[in-house]
Amino acid sequence: DEVAHQKATVASVRAELEASREEMIERSDVLTQLVDQLRQTQIEVTSERDELDSRVNGLDADVARLERELAAAKAELSSIQRERAQEREVLTQKVADLSTSLAKYSDY
């Protein structure tokens, strides 16, 4: 009778261990899937980050180019404004000279 009880206990413990082992295998499978998903997500995020870094670098280059173009345009505008000011001075002097000449002729 004692042997039968011990055999039943051993069988019960074995059944519990088997159930526990199967549960651990299932948990391990789930964890493996999660790790695989995390790795895939990490690969995707890294790829997206690299793409964004590339785009940012391209935009930085565009901004630098536009800043150079703006500086060149400002320099050209300043040059044109100086030329116009000089032309204005010349024209003002010519008008003054003509006014003086007209004043002399009007005296005659």
Side-chain angles (χ1 to χ4, degrees):
D1 189 43
E2 182 64 29
V3 173
H5 177 67
Q6 287 180 351
K7 284 184 180 182
T9 302
V10 168
S12 174
V13 168
R14 281 186 180 164
E16 286 179 29
L17 285 174
E18 182 61 26
S20 178
R21 186 176 82 76
E22 288 177 11
E23 184 180 336
M24 291 298 166
I25 290 171
E26 288 175 12
R27 286 183 181 178
S28 175
D29 289 346
V30 169
L31 288 174
T32 299
Q33 289 175 354
L34 287 173
V35 167
D36 289 345
Q37 289 174 354
L38 286 173
R39 284 185 181 141
Q40 183 60 35
T41 301
Q42 182 181 22
I43 289 168
E44 291 169 5
V45 166
T46 300
S47 175
E48 287 178 21
R49 186 195 65 216
D50 291 347
E51 181 182 331
L52 289 173
D53 285 347
S54 175
R55 289 167 63 190
V56 166
N57 289 339
L59 290 173
D60 286 345
D62 288 347
V63 167
R65 178 184 50 81
L66 290 171
E67 286 174 341
R68 288 190 303 273
E69 290 176 7
L70 178 60
K74 284 181 177 179
E76 185 177 348
L77 177 60
S78 287
S79 175
I80 290 170
Q81 288 173 332
R82 282 191 300 275
E83 290 174 11
R84 296 294 181 261
Q86 289 172 351
E87 290 172 1
R88 199 174 304 115
E89 287 178 23
V90 168
L91 289 175
T92 301
Q93 186 58 48
K94 285 183 179 180
V95 168
D97 292 346
L98 285 174
S99 294
T100 302
S101 295
L102 282 174
K104 288 181 184 177
Y105 287 121
S106 66
D107 289 344
Y108 295 114

